[in-house]
Structure formats: structure tokens, C-alpha cells
Amino acid sequence: MIDPDARRLLWFLFAGSRGGENRIRIISLLKERPYNTNQLAEAMGLDYKAIQHHMSVLEKNNMVTKAGEKYGVLYFISPYLEHHIDAFDEVKAAIDKKTASRSGKK
């Protein structure tokens, strides 16, 4: 069963605030392997500062953890998010479905 508090936090971070779509993309990348800020910026085609901002938001909300220092910092999904990955997947699927229906896709 999905924790309602985790679900609420995930909805806020990924659907209820600006930048949620980019944060979903970041988490989706980090599920595959760790990245540093520069690698994320390159992979996503976004500005380094924008990635820094999103990583700060994700870190403050316990979605990611980091290892290393300065430019060598690697980000990973947090143990909290790993534990609640079903809730993340549910929120992502709902957002994807809503986005697809807006654009006429199914």
C-alpha cells in the first residue's frame, strides 16, 4: 500500500509546482545510474544553474542523496524515494496520462 504522506509530497514536487516535469526527468535518469550536475544538464539539454536549482529542491525534500564534493558530487535517488518508488511511478504515470490527453495522444 502506498503511503499517503509520500504520495502527497510526490504530487507537490512533481505536479503541483513549476519544474515538476524536469524533476521527473531527473529522477528517471537517476533511477538508471548516478549523475553529477553537469552530466544531468547535458543529458537533459538544460542550463547547469537550472539543474542545480532542481537538485536543491529534490535534496531538501529527501528525494536524492549525494556523494563526493564540489564538481565531483554524484547524485543518487534517496533510500526514502527507493522505498516509495511505487508512489513516484503512480504520480509519473498520472502526469504522463494527463499530458498525453492534453496533446491528443493515447
Side-chain angles (χ1 to χ4, degrees), residues 46-101:
L46 294 175
D47 181 68
Y48 182 87
K49 291 281 189 188
I51 297 295
Q52 278 185 314
H53 166 73
H54 290 304
M55 296 314 293
S56 175
V57 170
L58 291 169
E59 190 175 8
K60 285 177 187 170
N61 287 282
N62 199 24
M63 297 291 118
V64 298
T65 58
K66 62 184 179 182
E69 295 181 21
K70 300 195 181 194
Y71 293 109
V73 169
L74 284 178
Y75 289 94
F76 303 81
I77 64 170
S78 69
Y80 175 84
L81 182 56
E82 284 180 20
H83 183 74
H84 297 290
I85 203 68
D86 289 342
F88 170 80
D89 291 339
E90 176 188 285
V91 169
K92 182 183 180 305
I95 292 169
D96 289 347
K97 184 177 179 182
K98 188 175 185 178
T99 303
S101 70

Side-chain angles (χ1 to χ4, degrees), residues 18-30:
R18 289 187 61 197
E21 184 178 314
N22 285 328
R23 288 194 277 276
I24 286 174
R25 290 175 58 205
I26 289 169
I27 295 299
S28 296
L29 287 169
L30 293 178

